C-alpha cells in the first residue's frame, strides 16, 4: 500500500467520522379532530360535520455538534370531514412552515408560525379543544400578520422564557379590520408595513404567567396602526386548573384631515376539573364595546362554553360541548352579519398521531 493510498483512506475515515456526528431524525405527526354539530346563526339552523384544524406535520432535527442543532417543521391543514386540502384542492404548509437553528443561545426561527403573544395568553388557557372549531376563542384580537417572520426564543432562565418576532411587510397587500366590528369602520386594504411581537412566559410549579405585545402597521386609504397587550395567569390546585387573560387592543387610523382612534378591552376566564379519564370544562369571555371615535356603537359581545372530554388514551378522546356567542347590534364576532348570535351543540372525536 502506497503512502498516497494510506493518506486517502485516512481522509475518508475522518470524513466518515464527521458525518456520523451529524445525526438527524424526521418525524411524522398530526391531529384528526372532527365534530358533528347542530348550529344556529341568527335565525337559521343547520346540522353539519366540521373538521377542527385537522393537520399533518413533518418535524426534523440534525445534530451539528457542539450543542448546535438545525431543524424544520412543516404543517398542513386538511378537511377530516371531506378529505380536501386547506385550499379545497390540495395540502399546503401555510399552517406552519419554519427552519431553525438552536443551541445554548436559544432558538432562531424563519418562516410562518403562531407568535408568542398569542401562545402566552389566549392559547395557553384554551384547555377544552385546543382553540379550534366553533368553541374556539372568537374574541381575542390576533394582530400579527403571519408569514415572512424571523423569531428569537431565549433559553429558560428560572422558569422564564422570552420570544421576539419581526414580520417583513415586503410591501404586500393586507386587509385590516377591527376584530368583531360589524360597522366595518376601519375595513381597509393597504400595504403591509411590517409587524413586531414580544412575549414572556413564566412557569413555576402550579403557577403560570404570560405577557404579550404586538404592533402592526398598514398603509392604505387610511394608515392604520394596531397594537395589543395581553396578560395571562393560570394556577393548578390538585385536579382543578384555572386560567384567565386580559387583552387591551388599540387602533389608530389617519388620512388627510382625518384621525380615528379606538380601543377595546377583552378578557376570558377558564376552568378545567379532571376526574379519572374525564375532564369538565367551562369558560366565558367578554369583549367590551369599542371606545374613542367608535363610542356609541353596540360592538360588545359575550362568549361562553361548557364542555366534557373523555380520554380513551393519551392520544384519543371523545368530547361534547355547548358554545354560544351573544353579539351586540353592531358586533359580528363569529358570524358574517352584525347583530346575529351564534350557538352550537357538538360531539366529536380527536386523535393525535
Amino acid at each position: 500500500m502506497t503512502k498516497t493510498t494510506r493518506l486517502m483512506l485516512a481522509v475518508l475515515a475522518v470524513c466518515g467520522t464527521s458525518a456520523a456526528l451529524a445525526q438527524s431524525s424526521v418525524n411524522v405527526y398530526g391531529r384528526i379532530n372532527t365534530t358533528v354539530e347542530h348550529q344556529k346563526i341568527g335565525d337559521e339552523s343547520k346540522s353539519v360535520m366540521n373538521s377542527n384544524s385537522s393537520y399533518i406535520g413533518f418535524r426534523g432535527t440534525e445534530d451539528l455538534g457542539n450543542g448546535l442543532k438545525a431543524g424544520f417543521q412543516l404543517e398542513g391543514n386538511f378537511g377530516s370531514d371531506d378529505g380536501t386540502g386547506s385550499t379545497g384542492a390540495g395540502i399546503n404548509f401555510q399552517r406552519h412552515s419554519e427552519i431553525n437553528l438552536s443551541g445554548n443561545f436559544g432558538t432562531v426561527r424563519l418562516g410562518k408560525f403562531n407568535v408568542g403573544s398569542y401562545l402566552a395568553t389566549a392559547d395557553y388557557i384554551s384547555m377544552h379543544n385546543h382553540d379550534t372549531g366553533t368553541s374556539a376563542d372568537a374574541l381575542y384580537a390576533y394582530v400579527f400578520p403571519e408569514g415572512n417572520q424571523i423569531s428569537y426564543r431565549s433559553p429558560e432562565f428560572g422558569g422564564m422564557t422570552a420570544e421576539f418576532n419581526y414580520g417583513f411587510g415586503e410591501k404586500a397587500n393586507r386587509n385590516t379590520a377591527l376584530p368583531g366590528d360589524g360597522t366595518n369602520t376601519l375595513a381597509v386594504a393597504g400595504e403591509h408595513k411590517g409587524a413586531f411581537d414580544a412575549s414572556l412566559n413564566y412557569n413555576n410549579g402550579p403557577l403560570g404567567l404570560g405577557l404579550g405585545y404586538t404592533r402592526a402597521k398598514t398603509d392604505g386609504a387610511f394608515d392604520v396602526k394596531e397594537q395589543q397587550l395581553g396578560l395571562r395567569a393560570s394556577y393548578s390546585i390538585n385536579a382543578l386548573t384555572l386560567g384567565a387573560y386580559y387583552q387591551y387592543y388599540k387602533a389608530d387610523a389617519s388620512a388627510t384631515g382625518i384621525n380615528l382612534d379606538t380601543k377595546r378591552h377583552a378578557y376570558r376566564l377558564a376552568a378545567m376539573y379532571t376526574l379519572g379519564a374525564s375532564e369538565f370544562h367551562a369558560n366565558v369571555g367578554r369583549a367590551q364595546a369599542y371606545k374613542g371615535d367608535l363610542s356609541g356603537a353596540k360592538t360588545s359581545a359575550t362568549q361562553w362554553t361548557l364542555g366534557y372530554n373523555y380520554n380513551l388514551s393519551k392520544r384519543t378522546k371523545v368530547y361534547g360541548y355547548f358554545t354560544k356567542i351573544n353579539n351586540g347590534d353592531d358586533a359580528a364576532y363569529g358570524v358574517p352579519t352584525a347583530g346575529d348570535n351564534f350557538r352550537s351543540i357538538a360531539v366529536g372525536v380527536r386523535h393525535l398521531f
Side-chain angles (χ1 to χ4, degrees):
M1 183 180 295
T2 66
K3 291 184 178 180
T4 302
T5 303
R6 291 192 187 98
L7 179 61
M8 292 178 63
L9 289 174
V11 170
L12 288 173
V14 170
C15 291
T17 302
S18 300
L21 290 174
Q23 300 297 321
S24 61
S25 63
V26 177
N27 296 316
V28 180
Y29 65 98
R31 175 175 69 205
I32 301 175
N33 191 0
T34 309
T35 51
V36 175
E37 307 186 25
H38 182 72
Q39 301 176 352
K40 185 176 182 181
I41 306 173
D43 295 326
E44 296 185 6
S45 299
K46 61 180 179 179
S47 296
V48 300
M49 179 178 288
N50 272 348
S51 174
N52 302 301
S53 293
S54 298
Y55 68 91
I56 186 170
F58 305 89
R59 183 190 294 116
T61 59
E62 181 183 13
D63 190 342
L64 302 175
N66 298 318
L68 184 64
K69 292 183 179 181
F72 74 91
Q73 186 174 349
L74 302 171
E75 293 180 2
N77 284 113
F78 65 91
S80 58
D81 54 343
D82 59 11
T84 59
S86 57
T87 61
I91 295 177
N92 58 46
F93 297 111
Q94 289 186 353
R95 172 186 168 86
H96 190 119
S97 176
E98 75 164 270
I99 187 168
N100 60 66
L101 288 173
S102 61
N104 295 331
F105 57 87
T107 304
V108 176
R109 309 158 71 201
L110 305 173
K112 180 182 186 295
F113 34 83
N114 289 148
V115 289
S117 61
Y118 164 71
L119 298 175
T121 54
D123 181 71
Y124 201 98
I125 67 165
S126 296
M127 299 175 282
H128 162 56
N129 200 20
H130 319 290
D131 204 25
T132 66
T134 56
S135 64
D137 189 340
L139 309 180
Y140 180 82
Y142 196 109
V143 172
F144 196 96
E146 291 181 358
N148 303 305
Q149 298 162 238
I150 181 169
S151 167
Y152 168 74
R153 181 186 296 153
S154 76
E156 182 179 317
F157 297 102
M160 181 173 292
T161 58
E163 183 174 341
F164 304 92
N165 276 266
Y166 179 77
F168 295 90
E170 297 187 346
K171 296 185 177 181
N173 292 327
R174 182 190 178 215
N175 295 321
T176 301
L178 297 177
D181 174 31
T183 68
N184 294 319
T185 301
L186 289 181
V188 297
E191 184 179 293
H192 177 14
K193 303 298 288 185
F196 172 77
D197 186 272
S199 63
L200 290 173
N201 260 307
Y202 174 75
N203 288 290
N204 185 2
L207 175 65
L209 301 173
L211 170 69
Y213 170 78
T214 313
R215 182 184 69 241
K217 187 177 180 183
T218 305
D219 287 355
F222 285 95
D223 295 340
V224 181
K225 179 182 178 182
E226 295 177 278
Q227 299 179 82
Q228 74 84 26
L229 177 67
L231 304 170
R232 182 264 310 169
S234 57
Y235 196 82
S236 296
I237 309 170
N238 297 322
L240 178 64
T241 301
L242 302 173
Y245 79 77
Y246 161 80
Q247 185 187 44
Y248 173 77
Y249 171 84
K250 189 176 189 295
D252 304 316
S254 61
T256 303
I258 301 175
N259 288 286
L260 294 174
D261 299 316
T262 189
K263 60 185 178 181
R264 187 211 71 174
H265 303 273
Y267 52 86
R268 184 172 293 276
L269 305 173
M272 175 181 70
Y273 183 80
T274 59
L275 182 64
S278 296
E279 298 175 1
F280 300 89
H281 293 264
N283 69 74
V284 60
R286 174 74 175 173
Q288 295 183 356
Y290 283 98
K291 304 298 183 182
D293 291 320
L294 285 185
S295 293
K298 298 178 180 180
T299 52
S300 63
T302 301
Q303 179 186 21
W304 59 276
T305 300
L306 295 175
Y308 171 76
N309 297 351
Y310 186 81
N311 295 290
L312 299 170
S313 70
K314 290 183 178 180
R315 296 186 299 161
T316 303
K317 72 175 183 181
V318 291
Y319 62 92
Y321 63 81
F322 176 84
T323 189
K324 187 173 184 180
I325 303 173
N326 293 320
N327 281 306
D329 292 343
D330 300 312
Y333 291 97
V335 296
T337 304
D340 279 353
N341 296 326
F342 174 85
R343 75 181 185 195
S344 179
I345 301 173
V347 293
V349 60
R350 185 220 66 187
H351 176 71
L352 304 177
F353 62 89

